[in-house]
């Protein structure tokens, strides 16, 4: 088979590889995305929550305005182009986990930059949903969830229609960079490109090219629950979250486990999540679980992405480390990396892997 030539090879069609391919192809590049059918995909498991004020202290990262506006625009562009909604905007109820947490709310609400993200508080007797909220909470705006499996399937077909997708596994050890480009072989296909970008998610921990990066994988499990009579109008977010899906089911998550890094579902996680649901709605009966999934979040030691060029092999790049908030931040960083590769724009310093040099 003759060698096929591209500007950029992308290893992985998770949300990261898909968003980067979209940005590069729309900038005029010839791109080939290689994926093994989502064998280890965090994106296919994730709830896709968009929450600009995550964490116990409702911290607002300085980059949040850029992240949020890039995400909202990108998902809306895709919805227009493909004629189906991908981002489902839904207000979020944040439940205080202690009386002390209210202090963090009051600090946040005084920050002018957080206006438009944060709504009023409620106390335990006036929760807008029929759930136990012993310390009260508040509503958050510009939140929602992205239907990531639908987005990946849509972009899979879009890439395939452009001859920009190659199904199969490409072990990183079989990639051969040299001074002028990079060669790879996937099955019978021989590929040659200017560069290759690794978007391989948590599998990067066994990738010999970027082994030195501080990738912090974290296992998580999620349940889907059959809809009963109760149809929440909000995403509910306390120690765990509950998302009313457009399909009518509820999604309940997530566990966080650092020690065991496999994608097996477990009885312990199922019990943990059901106990969390029981704490929210003690009077509700048994819930019927329709699905349980596990995946590995590809995090980093400082919770910022890992983006940049290999220090010695200049044809190899990494676009990874999106942790538990890929749905919010990947659209923005995909645009920044595409602008860097295509037009030489600077990479955002907080995400550039040179910060670990
Ligand atoms: C339980 C759970 C809940 C989550 N909830 C949320 C949430 O609510 N909001 C949010 O924003 N984020 C959430 N996340 C995190 C989110 O999934 C990630 O931030 C994001 O999806 C990472 O995307 P990625 O493309 O970097 O990696 P991945 O989605 O893992 O994609 C990597 C792809 O590369 C392929 N691949 C890897 N190596 C090779 C190879 N050698 N050859 C061929 N193909 C290869 C894999 O099969 C996969 O398809 C959650 C994650 C988990 C596990």
């Amino acid at each position: 088979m003759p060698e096929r030539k591209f500007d950029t090879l992308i290893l992985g069609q998770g949300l990261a590889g898909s968003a980067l391919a979209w940005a590069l192809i729309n900038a005029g590049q010839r791109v080939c995305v290689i994926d093994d059918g989502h064998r280890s995909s965090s994106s296919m498991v994730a709830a896709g929550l968009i929450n600009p004020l995550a964490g116990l202290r409702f911290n607002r990262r300085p980059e949040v305005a850029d992240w949020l506006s890039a995400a909202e625009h990108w998902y809306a562009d895709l919805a227009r182009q493909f004629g189906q909604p991908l981002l489902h905007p839904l207000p979020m109820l944040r439940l205080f986990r202690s009386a002390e947490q209210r202090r963090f709310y009051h600090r946040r609400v005084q920050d002018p930059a957080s206006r438009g993200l944060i709504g009023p508080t409620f106390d335990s007797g006036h929760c807008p949903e029929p759930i136990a909220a012993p310390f009260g909470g508040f509503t958050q705006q510009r939140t929602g969830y992205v239907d990531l499996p639908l987005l990946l399937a849509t972009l899979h077909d879009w890439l395939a229609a452009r001859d920009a997708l190659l199904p199969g596994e490409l072990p990183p050890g079989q990639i051969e960079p040299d001074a002028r480009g990079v060669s790879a072989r996937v099955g019978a296909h021989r590929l040659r490109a200017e560069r290759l970008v690794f978007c391989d998610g948590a599998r990067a921990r066994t990738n010999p090219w970027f082994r030195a990066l501080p990738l912090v994988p974290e296992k998580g499990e999620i349940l889907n629950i059959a809809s009963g009579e109760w149809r929440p109008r909000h995403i509910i977010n306390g120690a765990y979250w509950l998302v009313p899906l457009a399909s009518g089911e509820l999604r309940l998550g997530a566990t966080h486990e650092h020690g065991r890094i496999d994608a097996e579902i477990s009885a312990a996680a199922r019990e943990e999540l059901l106990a969390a649901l029981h704490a929210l709605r003690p009077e509700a009966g048994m819930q019927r679980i329709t699905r349980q999934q596990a995946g590995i979040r590809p995090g980093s030691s400082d919770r910022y992405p890992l983006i940049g060029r290999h220090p010695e092999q200049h044809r190899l790049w990494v676009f990874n480390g999106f942790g538990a908030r890929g749905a919010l931040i990947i659209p923005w960083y995909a645009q920044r990396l595409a602008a860097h590769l295509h037009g030489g724009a600077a990479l955002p310093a907080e995400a550039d892997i040179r910060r670990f040099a």
Side-chain angles (χ1 to χ4, degrees), residues 9-13 32-35 170 172 175 196-200:
L9 302 179
I10 294 177
L11 181 58
Q13 197 240 321
C32 180
V33 182
I34 301 135
D35 192 280
L170 172 56
I175 292 163
L196 181 145
V197 185
F198 288 103
C199 300
D200 47 351

Side-chain angles (χ1 to χ4, degrees), residues 297-311:
R297 304 172 183 91
S300 72
S301 56
D302 63 359
R303 294 173 186 250
Y304 273 97
L306 302 168
I307 303 177
R309 183 156 74 171
H310 192 284

Side-chain angles (χ1 to χ4, degrees), residues 11-18 34-50 148 152 168-172 199-204 218-222 241 254-255 293-298 319-330:
L11 181 58
Q13 197 240 321
L15 183 59
S18 299
I34 301 135
D35 192 280
D36 56 6
H38 306 306
R39 192 161 68 75
S40 60
S41 173
S42 178
S43 305
M44 290 295 277
V45 173
L49 292 181
I50 301 271
L148 290 176
L152 294 196
E169 178 163 12
L170 172 56
C199 300
D200 47 351
R203 291 244 289 282
E218 187 195 56
K219 181 174 177 180
E221 296 194 45
I222 294 192
W241 42 252
T255 60
Q293 286 173 287
I296 304 178
R297 304 172 183 91
F319 186 60
N320 206 330
F322 298 103
R325 50 185 176 166
L328 172 65
I329 71 178
I330 284 174

Side-chain angles (χ1 to χ4, degrees), residues 135-326:
F135 300 103
F138 67 98
T139 47
Q140 239 183 273
Q141 285 120 26
R142 292 181 75 186
T143 50
Y145 78 94
V146 183
D147 186 339
L148 290 176
L150 177 62
L151 184 149
L152 294 196
T154 303
L155 290 183
H156 173 282
D157 294 351
W158 181 80
L159 290 167
R162 268 157 194 74
D163 217 6
L165 186 80
L166 190 55
E169 178 163 12
L170 172 56
Q174 285 179 24
I175 292 163
E176 291 173 18
D178 56 51
R180 280 170 298 137
V182 56
S183 299
R185 193 183 274 269
V186 181
H189 298 269
R190 291 190 301 126
L191 309 173
R192 177 81 186 160
E194 296 265 313
R195 66 187 74 80
L196 181 145
V197 185
F198 288 103
C199 300
D200 47 351
R203 291 244 289 282
R205 68 195 188 282
T206 56
N207 181 335
W209 296 109
F210 284 99
R211 197 169 273 155
L213 286 181
L215 191 90
V216 179
E218 187 195 56
K219 181 174 177 180
E221 296 194 45
I222 294 192
L223 300 180
N224 276 31
I225 294 182
S227 60
E229 278 168 20
W230 176 47
R231 176 93 194 120
R233 291 169 293 114
H234 304 82
I235 294 169
I236 293 162
N237 191 347
Y240 297 83
W241 42 252
L242 192 66
V243 186
L245 298 180
S247 67
E249 286 193 329
L250 300 177
R251 212 134 194 247
L252 170 65
T255 60
H256 292 263
E257 213 181 330
H258 287 102
R260 262 184 57 196
I261 298 304
D262 60 54
E264 302 298 318
I265 58 169
S266 68
R270 189 162 57 245
E271 293 311 316
E272 178 183 333
L273 294 171
L274 286 177
L277 185 58
H278 181 71
L280 269 185
R281 306 199 78 215
E283 79 293 349
M286 278 289 290
Q287 307 292 322
R288 189 164 65 82
I289 297 169
T290 56
R291 192 171 195 194
Q292 180 172 359
Q293 286 173 287
I296 304 178
R297 304 172 183 91
S300 72
S301 56
D302 63 359
R303 294 173 186 250
Y304 273 97
L306 302 168
I307 303 177
R309 183 156 74 171
H310 192 284
E312 285 124 33
Q313 296 292 349
H314 287 183
R315 301 292 170 167
L316 299 182
W317 294 73
V318 62
F319 186 60
N320 206 330
F322 298 103
R325 50 185 176 166

